[in-house]
Amino acid sequence: MTEITTEKARIGAPSAQPFINGFTEEGESLSPINVATSKAPLAGQAVKSHSHGGGVGIPDSSRAGRLTSYNLADFKPLTGLEEDWRFTPLKRLRGLHSAVLAGAAPTVTVSGPAQVTVETVARGDKRIGSAGIPEDRVSANAWENFSEATVITVPAEFEAGAEITVVIEGTSTEAAAQHLVIVAEKFSKAVVVLDHQGSAVVSENIEIVVEDGANLTVVSLQEWNADAVHASSQQARIGRDAKLKHVVVSLGGDLVRVTPSARFTAPGGEVEMYGLYFADAGQHLEQRLFVDHAVANCTSNVLYKGALQGRNAHAVWVGDVLIRKEAEGTDSYEANRNLLLTDGARADSVPNLEIETGLIKGAGHASATGRLDDQHLFYLMARGIPEDVARRLVVRGFLHEIIQQIKVPALEERLTEAVERELAVTNN
Amino acid sequence: MSTLEIKDLHVSIDTEQGTKEILKGVSLTIKTGQTHAIMGPNGSGKSTLASTIAGHPRYKVTSGTITLDGEDVLAMTVDQRARAGLFLAMQYPVEVPGVSMTNFLRTAKTAIDGEAPKLRTWTKEVKAAMAQLRIDADFAERNVNEGFSGGEKKRVEILQLELFKPKFAILDETDSGLDVDALKVVSEGVNRAHEAGNMGTLLITHYTRILRYIKPEFVHVFVDGQVVEEGGPELADRLEEEGYDRYATGAGAATIAAAAAAQA
């Protein structure tokens, strides 16, 4: 194992020149802005001290150097060339990046055990800002414009027997801002389901605080109507020995962009991030996640799986995992798998792994995008199963690996049915 | 009684070096209740014959016919062939992630029979068949062939053979990679299917070892894409003693010599 660790650590070690034109240790020099700064292999190093609200940071190829700020004005207007927006069709954002978000926010209805407190609070509440600072212009725009927030608190040492369901229902397509805070207090245990439905154009900030020893599952389900546009920044702060399981399921909506992040603040934390998406013709489903191993002895495991079908179905997955110098003993893995079911669909998949210390247990990243395996189909068909049934069996099986992670039977059943409906669309 | 008839079959595959003919005129007739062994050295085209009967898209039939009771098998899709009563026990069974054995077996049985099996009796039948083949009960919950050892995969092929009850089974080197115990278990399964369903069997093998447990009435020796000799069980005994060397003439000689060396 020692050998493997050494080998992997070398990936992140700075070196004088790029091996391949247009590539640095951090990967492809993807946007023109990055090309300018990527002459220094660790351009991020120079700007790290200016991040966190300073507003001085410039985009660069290290995730650590990304600008974070509560102020919209600190983020330049988007051009679409920025690294974190280069896949997103800005024209279809319906103003989330440029307009004042004055529309009515989707209604929030929470149900769950009586011990769980639900409050509607004003902007000044001290819990707001406890888990995250906006990392992009659309998120900052929501931060600037939200009028009130919903705070859900799972009290210390309380183990919720039933899941907490948060129905977020959109009724208007005027650009709006939304803010939610979920706090799992010390040694609590709960499952929170964020059920996005209806029609909306909304930028949403969700802060997730997982206090020491807490065990929290958050499932964010996007089953919007076909006209919805949704940007959701879901930032989690992970306490000592705390555990977060985060599941993103994106099925409905015209454009859905979910950007979850998990930051370890004390040793012993454990994060599992799962994602499932099914993009149909014309749909843009994007997920960009960030795992920040800022402290020692934490574990993260990421698996996103998606199926795409129809013309201009577009899925984007970018996974940034950063293992900082302090994060010795880290164990981390991230993977993305895409199945292209028809011609005309496109999946972009970028697994980024930055490692600044060699003293880790493991770090890996993987990505694969392909069609259905002909050998799988042949095997099933050779047992009499017709081709369409065989295809469905394989796709269902492919996505089921994520669904079975949720462990809320009613929700698993609902998602299985939703996948069946998606499969029925083009008879795959 | 059913008849599977192969007449003057020529099969090619596309390779990077161009089209290559693998089967060069194979004729064979099998009736239900009969067991035929096809024996031959590596690269002689045995497995190509098996895959072609099942309809694997890699193999192109350039001339000749395969019929099942007069019906044109070559015109059927892969799944239609299986539903018509042909079963291929594969040399390398494929792992299908995310599809549980239970779900797979029930789906296939439903497709073959045209109606869903009665849940209660079906579950019992599957359990009993698994027990006879000494397959652990927890395999039912695992994904198709995923993480199974070579021997376990072969047993699961025979499990399907017993459950789906085909008219004709083609066993493509089912014996290779099995230890003696597994070989016995698998052979018993084939013999049960043979007796219970009056199944016709095409047993493709490189070795004579399996013929101690499954007794063929007919033995065909395959060299370089053709049947070079046919006979009864005594032909297998002779092969056991002499190997394939005496067929080594012309183009086929090199492969046979190599195979013989590998075996020795």
Side-chain angles (χ1 to χ4, degrees), chain A residues 1-21:
Chain A
M1 279 312 285
T2 322
E3 268 182 33
I4 293 165
T5 309
T6 318
E7 181 59 32
K8 279 179 179 156
R10 210 180 291 153
I11 299 165
S15 91
Q17 65 226 13
F19 308 104
I20 308 166
N21 225 0

Side-chain angles (χ1 to χ4, degrees), chain A residues 129 132 135 137 146 166 184 242-243 254 278-279 316 324 349 362 377 418:
Chain A
E135 293 184 298
R137 185 174 166 89
F146 80 93
V166 185
K243 192 178 170 191
D254 175 58
F278 204 128
V316 177
R324 296 183 194 251
S349 178
L377 289 181

